[in-house]
Amino acid sequence: MRKLEFRSDTMTRPTTAMRQAMFEAEVGDDVCEEDPTVNKLQEMVAARLGKEAALFVPSGHFGNQCAIGVHTHPGDEVIVSEMTHVVEHEAGASGVLSGVQLRTIEPRHASYITADEIMPRLRIGEDVHFPRSRLIILENALSDGTVMPIAAMAEVKELASQHGLAVHLDGARLFNAALALDVEPRSIAAQSDSVSFCLSKGLGAPVGSVLCGTANFIDRARKRRKVMGGGMRQVGVLAAPGIIALTDGVRRLHEDHENARLLAKLLTRVPGVVLDLRKVQTNMVYIHVETQGKSEDGLVEFLAGRGILTYPPIMWGIRFVTSHEVTADDVRTLAAAIADYLES
Ligand SMILES: *Cc1c(COP(=O)(O)O)cnc(C)c1O
């Protein structure tokens, strides 16, 4: 029986067109910048995001850590929301690889940190005790499936430039954010000095992320990528599906948002399900279960019994992620299964 995959958009498998493109890709040695397919991907991305240059990297994690390494020196301080991927899901890499201190902030007004919250945490002026505040990292879209408005990003960018800090955007789901905000991805990218996004999530490529910034930043990032062991040779075989991710993958991405909204709408009619419709902005739906004798762990187990895959609940509840692996019918099947569990 086919499993229904609601765990993550990282689970997406490459399409037939992507596999064909991998087979046919023209390749060369990318460490020597001679892979024509990688060069084409990087040029496409830089143009699309309105940045001078771009660099293909093995993962989103790698892109973030490469950016941190370029923007900082050991002992510098990086300001970041405590809920972000860099803090929660990168295995302490910023300490290990760049020797920086993360100054984490709990977002209080929204899912993201605001300029007002960052301002009092900046180390301004020379003091023998202080690390140097050097970098602010933002995420868009956010891990709870919501997005950060452009105006809020612009305020952070303004604050950073007043005080000589750089801004890096972890845009793993940048194209989802652009859809939700109804803007071009370049309008979001314009609010940061560097930005990375994943080709491998909702866009469907099997591997890879792209890091973008000024030509000078990308030259340094290429060196840093080498230091990190991320110089890859005939990697056009992976850039080729990335190019399809940027065309076909982006073109169909709205379907995932429509399916997430469909799921949320169906679940609002199921007694015992608690969800905040306003937070369903991209391809994720989080729910809590509030029915006597029923639990979130119990629901996850029940769904597994029906071949429906989800991760165990976290603080925000159980997460369901839509992707090209999931159809509107799958969403209806999921909603019906949740109703069955809560009524059983
Ligand atoms: C998925 C993700 C990444 C990168 O993940 P990789 O698995 O390393 O590609 C980075 N940031 C956020 C917010 C993510 O969701």
Side-chain angles (χ1 to χ4, degrees), residues 148-160:
M148 181 168 183
I150 301 265
M153 294 187 75
E155 284 176 21
V156 173
K157 176 93 169 69
E158 174 62 27
L159 177 68

Side-chain angles (χ1 to χ4, degrees), residues 228-247:
M228 292 166 69
M232 299 178 286
R233 300 293 179 178
Q234 287 71 31
V235 75
V237 291
L238 295 180
I243 289 171
I244 295 182
L246 275 178
T247 50

Side-chain angles (χ1 to χ4, degrees), residues 10 59-62 64 85 90 139 141 143 170 172-173 198 200-201 209:
T10 58
S59 68
H61 171 144
F62 196 110
N64 287 335
H85 199 272
E90 296 184 11
E139 263 181 19
S143 305
D170 175 356
R173 297 188 181 86
C198 292
S200 62
K201 290 191 169 165
S209 284

Side-chain angles (χ1 to χ4, degrees), residues 27 70 97 119 125 127 133 137 169 211-212 249 253 256 258 283-284 294 307 317:
V27 296
V70 175
L97 302 176
M119 178 62 204
D127 183 303
S133 296
I137 301 180
L169 173 63
L211 176 62
C212 312
L253 201 61
D256 299 345
E258 286 153 19
N283 64 336
M284 291 178 193
K294 305 286 174 181

Side-chain angles (χ1 to χ4, degrees), residues 82-159:
E82 66 179 25
M83 313 300 289
T84 51
H85 199 272
V86 164
V87 176
E88 294 244 301
H89 294 289
E90 296 184 11
S94 31
V96 176
L97 302 176
S98 297
V100 293
Q101 169 162 298
L102 296 183
R103 185 152 220 206
T104 58
I105 302 180
E106 179 191 358
R108 291 196 178 271
H109 309 304
S111 299
Y112 49 85
I113 50 173
T114 61
D116 286 352
E117 291 169 317
I118 295 169
M119 178 62 204
R121 307 298 185 93
L122 293 179
R123 316 284 194 152
I124 296 169
E126 195 43 48
D127 183 303
V128 72
H129 302 91
F130 287 177
R132 184 179 67 143
S133 296
R134 180 60 198 121
L135 176 66
I136 299 169
I137 301 180
L138 299 177
E139 263 181 19
N140 213 0
L142 297 139
S143 305
D144 67 353
T146 65
V147 293
M148 181 168 183
I150 301 265
M153 294 187 75
E155 284 176 21
V156 173
K157 176 93 169 69
E158 174 62 27
L159 177 68

Side-chain angles (χ1 to χ4, degrees), residues 137-309:
I137 301 180
L138 299 177
E139 263 181 19
N140 213 0
L142 297 139
S143 305
D144 67 353
T146 65
V147 293
M148 181 168 183
I150 301 265
M153 294 187 75
E155 284 176 21
V156 173
K157 176 93 169 69
E158 174 62 27
L159 177 68
S161 59
Q162 276 168 15
H163 296 287
L165 279 76
V167 178
H168 172 68
L169 173 63
D170 175 356
R173 297 188 181 86
L174 177 69
F175 287 84
N176 297 88
L179 262 182
L181 290 166
D182 196 20
V183 298
E184 288 298 322
R186 62 167 54 221
S187 306
I188 302 176
Q191 308 308 323
S192 65
D193 298 288
S194 59
V195 53
S196 53
F197 71 92
C198 292
L199 295 163
S200 62
K201 290 191 169 165
L203 301 185
V207 178
S209 284
V210 186
L211 176 62
C212 312
T214 62
N216 175 269
F217 173 85
I218 291 299
D219 283 345
R220 292 159 64 212
R222 182 174 293 105
K223 182 71 181 273
R224 181 80 187 172
R225 183 182 69 175
K226 193 77 180 72
V227 169
M228 292 166 69
M232 299 178 286
R233 300 293 179 178
Q234 287 71 31
V235 75
V237 291
L238 295 180
I243 289 171
I244 295 182
L246 275 178
T247 50
D248 298 359
V250 171
R251 204 176 300 124
R252 62 152 303 286
L253 201 61
H254 65 96
E255 294 172 21
D256 299 345
H257 292 206
E258 286 153 19
N259 281 332
R261 275 197 299 272
L262 171 65
L263 176 62
K265 215 179 73 195
L266 293 172
L267 290 179
T268 53
R269 298 186 203 137
V270 177
V273 170
V274 177
L275 78 94
D276 187 348
L277 265 179
R278 289 165 309 177
K279 290 198 145 191
V280 181
Q281 298 174 6
T282 59
N283 64 336
M284 291 178 193
V285 180
Y286 281 92
I287 67 164
H288 283 293
V289 162
E290 282 186 7
T291 298
Q292 201 71 36
K294 305 286 174 181
S295 70
E296 285 164 16
D297 288 316
L299 173 56
V300 168
E301 201 178 314
F302 178 86
L303 293 175
R306 293 204 177 180
I308 300 173
L309 303 177

